[in-house]
Amino acid sequence: MSTDHLKIEHPIHPIPPRLLDEKNYPKPHIDSIQKYEELYKESIDNPDKFWARLAKEFLHWHKPFETVLSGDFEHGNIAWFQEGELNATYNCVDRHALKNPDKVAIIYEADEPDQGRNVTYGELLRDVCRLANLLKSYGVKKGDTVAIYMPMVPEAVVSFLACARIGAIHSVVFAGFSSEALKDRIIDASSKFVITADEGRRSGKTIHIKKIVDDAVKNCPIVEHVLVFRRTGSDVPFNSNRDIWWHDEIKKQRPHCPIQIVNAEDPLFILYTSGSTGKPKGLLHTTGGYLLGSAVSFKYAFDYHEGDIHGCMADIGWITGHTYIIYGPLANGATTVLFESTPLYPSPSRYWETVKKHKITQFYTAPTAIRLLRKHGQEHVKGHDLSSLRLIGTVGEPIQFEAWDWYDEVIGRKECPIIDTYWQTETGSIIITPLPGALPTKPGSAVYPFFGIDPVVLDPVTGEEISDIEAEGVLSIRKPWPSIARTIYNDHERYLNTYFRPYRGYYFTGDGVGRDKDGYYWIRGRVDDVINVSGHRLSTSEIESALLVHSSVAEAAVVGVHDDLTGQCVHAFATLKSDQEGTTDVKDLTLQVRKVIGPFAAPKRIYIVKDLPKTRSGKIMRRILRKIVAGETDQLGDLSTISDPSLISKLIDDVKNSN
Ligand code: WT7
């Protein structure tokens, strides 16, 4: 692949002097490039020693481990700290509550700015114990999966930790998924117990969460109980044979509950994400390795110090929320913000009001939010005291220079390093990132690998490793790290096929990447059929499948298209069955996707067309559709394999006319 664009000279941003001002700010844990290099080298050359030391330093083990790493990518049988035994909740709550019960664990910033509250470690422990006892009283035990479909309220965090306390596996489903998507995930994970709320609130609007759960559970005979937390107090349907009110039952429970000590390799959670094929993948993370990866990366990437207030704006329904709202911060005994609202509610100043109000020290969001707020203008930032911020971070998609500069100047006031953190649901925790006190940044680059991560750039065609420092190709990782997902729930074969077989002996990320002359990594985005809309990972074939279940649709093809605000957006093409023409319009098809997946997956545009471009063997040529919607009709490439070339001009017209 061409390395031409690696030749562009990018500005280098040194570490802002304020971060290194030891009189007024805590000294960064990793405060020089030499220190980073030393530790990084150890983590690669001697991973067993490195991770054994950190595992003892960061986590409390009820029984020590003997083996550090076993298994390899060749066989896809990775295990860390095999004989070790621990409990995630003990590590995230008990040990801090014992020492410091009054320290705030969670700052709940509710949708309405004046309705939030703080939860201390002592309170969190009692709430978690009560819920853990409740779960046990309904027969939930070690190894069972519990589905969690919750708004961003402290009780959601309590739900995660109550499961972990008794060794149950949580399977959190983002509360923006539709009832059908929720149903599929409940069935796939065999969750007998569901935790939810009456309603959610976002941007002043009500989300009818319980109703969505009712619709989902109707078709899941496996579900025995639905526990309902009262968030708004509105009247919601209640089936007393199956449903349980949180507030009624919780008060009957004792605030003490012994922990279930589990093996390091016992599952902690399942989290679904989209892949190249239609069916979502339930990535399974285990207790010891995941918790260690979360705790260590949280401390070093965010340079966490005692007293910091960590503001990660993600939703707990995604991996970012699991790792950097809940497990990473709490394992370190930190104070974490749980933000229920949106960047625009009640005004585009909401984030900055929140930073000021809680004196947030680390602020973490996605490029899509930065682009949105930049568009609204910096007058919404002015007048807000952001001086508490020590560093700011981004995650989820590549960040463009303009958005980076705005974040740097307007939010960071050129005093805060920006950490552009690259990782995935599968990696469990950050794998490429600048360390704020050690590594100068370049806008748009995720900089260097985190400890223990050995990235390689592969030629996508030959699979050969490109050893030149300047390289362009696909990103793979050579060595296992503790928080890598261990399997796809119930489908280990798919796990092997997706991650370890495309390039033997490596973990394949699915992302394109460049490495410049300074060894900086530039993530280019997905090279598979996964698209990234506002940092949400969507699969083109999952959306196609959703369209195909509509009774009128004959064929569907979905492509990702560049979008200035959301990064990418979804465009869909559909042909209708001949007897259905005229019966179905674009609105019906949009609704169809909202119904099967959720509102966030709705295509921005749907084109109902007569025919789709296909090869002679009948494969839909999505490459051509992508070019047509991008307006690159002069670059359609090789058309010799298309079965009906006359179709192209019709499609170009169809797309033009619908714009
Ligand atoms: C995909 C993973 C990990 C939390 C959020 C998303 C993209 C993630 C970056 C970044 C460029 C990024 C990749 C990756 N991505 N972070 N800093 N720069 N791209 O988790 O839903 O599992 O998606 O998000 O394409 O493969 P996810």
Side-chain angles (χ1 to χ4, degrees), residues 201-229:
R201 299 283 294 168
R202 256 189 123 220
S203 290
K205 292 194 210 77
T206 299
I207 304 154
H208 300 283
I209 290 190
K210 174 64 165 50
K211 194 179 166 311
I212 296 170
V213 172
D214 283 345
D215 287 344
V217 169
K218 242 189 338 228
N219 302 309
C220 302
I222 179 183
V223 172
E224 290 166 7
H225 294 290
V226 176
L227 177 66
V228 191
F229 170 71

CSV table of all heavy atoms in Angstrom, one decimal, residues 201-229:
chain,number,residue,atom,x,y,z
A,201,ARG,N,-34.7,8.7,31.0
A,201,ARG,CA,-34.9,10.1,30.6
A,201,ARG,C,-33.6,10.5,29.9
A,201,ARG,O,-32.5,10.3,30.4
A,201,ARG,CB,-35.1,11.0,31.8
A,201,ARG,CG,-36.3,10.7,32.7
A,201,ARG,CD,-37.5,11.2,32.1
A,201,ARG,NE,-37.6,12.6,32.0
A,201,ARG,CZ,-38.5,13.3,31.4
A,201,ARG,NH1,-39.5,12.7,30.7
A,201,ARG,NH2,-38.5,14.6,31.4
A,202,ARG,N,-33.8,11.1,28.7
A,202,ARG,CA,-32.6,11.6,28.0
A,202,ARG,C,-33.1,12.9,27.2
A,202,ARG,O,-34.1,12.8,26.5
A,202,ARG,CB,-32.1,10.6,27.0
A,202,ARG,CG,-30.8,10.0,27.5
A,202,ARG,CD,-30.2,9.1,26.5
A,202,ARG,NE,-28.8,9.6,26.3
A,202,ARG,CZ,-28.2,9.6,25.1
A,202,ARG,NH1,-28.9,9.3,24.0
A,202,ARG,NH2,-27.0,10.0,25.0
A,203,SER,N,-32.4,13.9,27.4
A,203,SER,CA,-32.7,15.2,26.7
A,203,SER,C,-34.1,15.6,27.0
A,203,SER,O,-34.8,16.2,26.2
A,203,SER,CB,-32.6,15.1,25.2
A,203,SER,OG,-31.3,15.0,24.8
A,204,GLY,N,-34.6,15.4,28.2
A,204,GLY,CA,-35.9,15.8,28.6
A,204,GLY,C,-37.0,14.9,28.1
A,204,GLY,O,-38.2,15.1,28.3
A,205,LYS,N,-36.6,13.9,27.3
A,205,LYS,CA,-37.6,13.0,26.7
A,205,LYS,C,-37.7,11.7,27.5
A,205,LYS,O,-36.7,11.3,28.1
A,205,LYS,CB,-37.2,12.7,25.3
A,205,LYS,CG,-37.4,13.9,24.4
A,205,LYS,CD,-37.3,13.4,22.9
A,205,LYS,CE,-36.8,14.4,22.0
A,205,LYS,NZ,-35.3,14.6,21.9
A,206,THR,N,-38.8,11.0,27.4
A,206,THR,CA,-39.0,9.8,28.1
A,206,THR,C,-38.7,8.6,27.2
A,206,THR,O,-39.1,8.6,26.0
A,206,THR,CB,-40.4,9.7,28.6
A,206,THR,OG1,-40.6,10.8,29.5
A,206,THR,CG2,-40.7,8.4,29.3
A,207,ILE,N,-38.0,7.6,27.7
A,207,ILE,CA,-37.8,6.4,26.9
A,207,ILE,C,-38.5,5.3,27.6
A,207,ILE,O,-38.3,5.0,28.8
A,207,ILE,CB,-36.2,6.1,26.8
A,207,ILE,CG1,-35.5,7.3,26.2
A,207,ILE,CG2,-36.0,4.8,25.9
A,207,ILE,CD1,-34.1,7.4,26.6
A,208,HIS,N,-39.3,4.6,26.9
A,208,HIS,CA,-40.2,3.6,27.5
A,208,HIS,C,-39.5,2.2,27.6
A,208,HIS,O,-39.8,1.3,26.9
A,208,HIS,CB,-41.5,3.5,26.7
A,208,HIS,CG,-42.2,4.8,26.7
A,208,HIS,ND1,-42.9,5.3,27.8
A,208,HIS,CD2,-42.3,5.8,25.7
A,208,HIS,CE1,-43.4,6.5,27.5
A,208,HIS,NE2,-43.0,6.8,26.2
A,209,ILE,N,-38.6,2.2,28.5
A,209,ILE,CA,-37.7,1.1,28.7
A,209,ILE,C,-38.5,-0.2,29.0
A,209,ILE,O,-38.3,-1.3,28.4
A,209,ILE,CB,-36.6,1.4,29.7
A,209,ILE,CG1,-35.7,2.4,29.1
A,209,ILE,CG2,-35.9,0.2,30.1
A,209,ILE,CD1,-34.5,2.7,29.9
A,210,LYS,N,-39.4,-0.1,30.0
A,210,LYS,CA,-40.1,-1.3,30.5
A,210,LYS,C,-40.9,-1.9,29.3
A,210,LYS,O,-41.0,-3.1,29.2
A,210,LYS,CB,-40.9,-1.0,31.7
A,210,LYS,CG,-41.8,-2.2,32.2
A,210,LYS,CD,-41.0,-3.3,32.7
A,210,LYS,CE,-41.7,-4.3,33.5
A,210,LYS,NZ,-43.0,-4.8,33.0
A,211,LYS,N,-41.5,-1.1,28.6
A,211,LYS,CA,-42.3,-1.5,27.5
A,211,LYS,C,-41.5,-2.3,26.4
A,211,LYS,O,-41.9,-3.3,25.9
A,211,LYS,CB,-43.0,-0.3,26.8
A,211,LYS,CG,-44.1,-0.7,25.9
A,211,LYS,CD,-44.8,0.4,25.3
A,211,LYS,CE,-45.7,-0.1,24.1
A,211,LYS,NZ,-44.9,-1.0,23.2
A,212,ILE,N,-40.3,-1.8,26.2
A,212,ILE,CA,-39.3,-2.4,25.3
A,212,ILE,C,-39.0,-3.8,25.8
A,212,ILE,O,-39.0,-4.8,25.1
A,212,ILE,CB,-38.1,-1.6,25.0
A,212,ILE,CG1,-38.5,-0.2,24.3
A,212,ILE,CG2,-37.1,-2.3,24.2
A,212,ILE,CD1,-37.4,0.8,24.2
A,213,VAL,N,-38.7,-3.9,27.1
A,213,VAL,CA,-38.4,-5.1,27.7
A,213,VAL,C,-39.5,-6.1,27.7
A,213,VAL,O,-39.4,-7.3,27.3
A,213,VAL,CB,-37.9,-4.9,29.2
A,213,VAL,CG1,-37.7,-6.3,29.9
A,213,VAL,CG2,-36.6,-4.1,29.2
A,214,ASP,N,-40.7,-5.6,27.9
A,214,ASP,CA,-41.9,-6.5,27.9
A,214,ASP,C,-42.0,-7.1,26.5
A,214,ASP,O,-42.3,-8.3,26.3
A,214,ASP,CB,-43.2,-5.7,28.2
A,214,ASP,CG,-43.4,-5.4,29.7
A,214,ASP,OD1,-42.7,-6.1,30.4
A,214,ASP,OD2,-44.2,-4.6,30.1
A,215,ASP,N,-41.9,-6.2,25.4
A,215,ASP,CA,-42.0,-6.8,24.1
A,215,ASP,C,-40.9,-7.8,23.8
A,215,ASP,O,-41.1,-8.8,23.1
A,215,ASP,CB,-41.8,-5.6,23.1
A,215,ASP,CG,-43.1,-4.8,23.0
A,215,ASP,OD1,-44.1,-5.2,23.6
A,215,ASP,OD2,-43.0,-3.6,22.5
A,216,ALA,N,-39.7,-7.6,24.3
A,216,ALA,CA,-38.6,-8.5,24.1
A,216,ALA,C,-38.9,-9.8,24.8
A,216,ALA,O,-38.7,-10.9,24.2
A,216,ALA,CB,-37.3,-7.9,24.6
A,217,VAL,N,-39.3,-9.7,26.0
A,217,VAL,CA,-39.4,-10.9,26.9
A,217,VAL,C,-40.6,-11.8,26.5
A,217,VAL,O,-40.6,-13.0,26.8
A,217,VAL,CB,-39.4,-10.4,28.4
A,217,VAL,CG1,-39.8,-11.6,29.3
A,217,VAL,CG2,-38.1,-9.8,28.8
A,218,LYS,N,-41.6,-11.1,25.9
A,218,LYS,CA,-42.8,-11.9,25.4
A,218,LYS,C,-42.3,-13.1,24.6
A,218,LYS,O,-42.9,-14.2,24.7
A,218,LYS,CB,-43.5,-11.0,24.4
A,218,LYS,CG,-44.9,-10.7,24.9
A,218,LYS,CD,-45.8,-10.0,23.9
A,218,LYS,CE,-45.2,-9.2,22.8
A,218,LYS,NZ,-45.7,-7.9,22.5
A,219,ASN,N,-41.2,-13.0,23.9
A,219,ASN,CA,-40.8,-14.1,23.0
A,219,ASN,C,-39.5,-14.8,23.6
A,219,ASN,O,-38.8,-15.4,22.8
A,219,ASN,CB,-40.5,-13.5,21.6
A,219,ASN,CG,-41.7,-12.9,21.1
A,219,ASN,OD1,-42.8,-13.5,21.1
A,219,ASN,ND2,-41.6,-11.7,20.6
A,220,CYS,N,-39.3,-14.6,24.9
A,220,CYS,CA,-38.2,-15.3,25.5
A,220,CYS,C,-38.7,-16.2,26.7
A,220,CYS,O,-38.6,-15.7,27.8
A,220,CYS,CB,-37.2,-14.3,26.1
A,220,CYS,SG,-36.5,-13.1,25.0
A,221,PRO,N,-39.1,-17.4,26.4
A,221,PRO,CA,-39.7,-18.2,27.5
A,221,PRO,C,-38.6,-18.4,28.6
A,221,PRO,O,-39.0,-18.7,29.7
A,221,PRO,CB,-40.1,-19.5,26.8
A,221,PRO,CG,-39.5,-19.4,25.4
A,221,PRO,CD,-39.2,-18.0,25.1
A,222,ILE,N,-37.4,-18.3,28.2
A,222,ILE,CA,-36.3,-18.6,29.2
A,222,ILE,C,-36.3,-17.6,30.4
A,222,ILE,O,-35.8,-17.9,31.4
A,222,ILE,CB,-34.9,-18.6,28.4
A,222,ILE,CG1,-33.8,-18.9,29.4
A,222,ILE,CG2,-34.7,-17.4,27.7
A,222,ILE,CD1,-32.5,-18.9,28.8
A,223,VAL,N,-36.8,-16.4,30.1
A,223,VAL,CA,-36.7,-15.3,31.2
A,223,VAL,C,-37.7,-15.6,32.3
A,223,VAL,O,-38.9,-15.7,32.0
A,223,VAL,CB,-37.0,-13.9,30.6
A,223,VAL,CG1,-37.1,-12.9,31.7
A,223,VAL,CG2,-35.8,-13.5,29.6
A,224,GLU,N,-37.2,-15.8,33.5
A,224,GLU,CA,-38.1,-16.1,34.6
A,224,GLU,C,-38.5,-14.8,35.4
A,224,GLU,O,-39.6,-14.7,35.8
A,224,GLU,CB,-37.3,-17.0,35.6
A,224,GLU,CG,-37.2,-18.4,35.0
A,224,GLU,CD,-36.2,-19.3,35.8
A,224,GLU,OE1,-35.7,-18.8,36.8
A,224,GLU,OE2,-35.8,-20.4,35.3
A,225,HIS,N,-37.6,-13.8,35.5
A,225,HIS,CA,-37.9,-12.6,36.3
A,225,HIS,C,-37.3,-11.4,35.6
A,225,HIS,O,-36.3,-11.4,35.0
A,225,HIS,CB,-37.3,-12.8,37.7
A,225,HIS,CG,-38.0,-13.8,38.5
A,225,HIS,ND1,-39.3,-13.8,38.9
A,225,HIS,CD2,-37.5,-15.0,38.9
A,225,HIS,CE1,-39.6,-14.9,39.5
A,225,HIS,NE2,-38.5,-15.7,39.5
A,226,VAL,N,-38.1,-10.3,35.8
A,226,VAL,CA,-37.6,-9.0,35.3
A,226,VAL,C,-37.7,-8.1,36.6
A,226,VAL,O,-38.7,-7.9,37.2
A,226,VAL,CB,-38.6,-8.4,34.2
A,226,VAL,CG1,-38.1,-7.0,33.8
A,226,VAL,CG2,-38.5,-9.4,33.0
A,227,LEU,N,-36.5,-7.6,36.9
A,227,LEU,CA,-36.4,-6.7,38.1
A,227,LEU,C,-36.5,-5.2,37.6
A,227,LEU,O,-35.8,-4.8,36.7
A,227,LEU,CB,-35.1,-6.9,38.8
A,227,LEU,CG,-34.8,-6.0,40.0
A,227,LEU,CD1,-35.8,-6.2,41.1
A,227,LEU,CD2,-33.4,-6.2,40.5
A,228,VAL,N,-37.4,-4.4,38.1
A,228,VAL,CA,-37.7,-3.1,37.6
A,228,VAL,C,-37.3,-2.0,38.6
A,228,VAL,O,-38.0,-1.9,39.6
A,228,VAL,CB,-39.2,-3.0,37.2
A,228,VAL,CG1,-39.4,-1.7,36.4
A,228,VAL,CG2,-39.7,-4.2,36.4
A,229,PHE,N,-36.3,-1.2,38.2
A,229,PHE,CA,-36.0,-0.1,39.0
A,229,PHE,C,-36.9,1.1,38.7
A,229,PHE,O,-37.2,1.3,37.5
A,229,PHE,CB,-34.5,0.3,38.8
A,229,PHE,CG,-34.1,1.6,39.4
A,229,PHE,CD1,-34.1,1.7,40.8
A,229,PHE,CD2,-33.9,2.7,38.6
A,229,PHE,CE1,-33.8,2.9,41.4
A,229,PHE,CE2,-33.6,3.9,39.2
A,229,PHE,CZ,-33.5,4.0,40.6
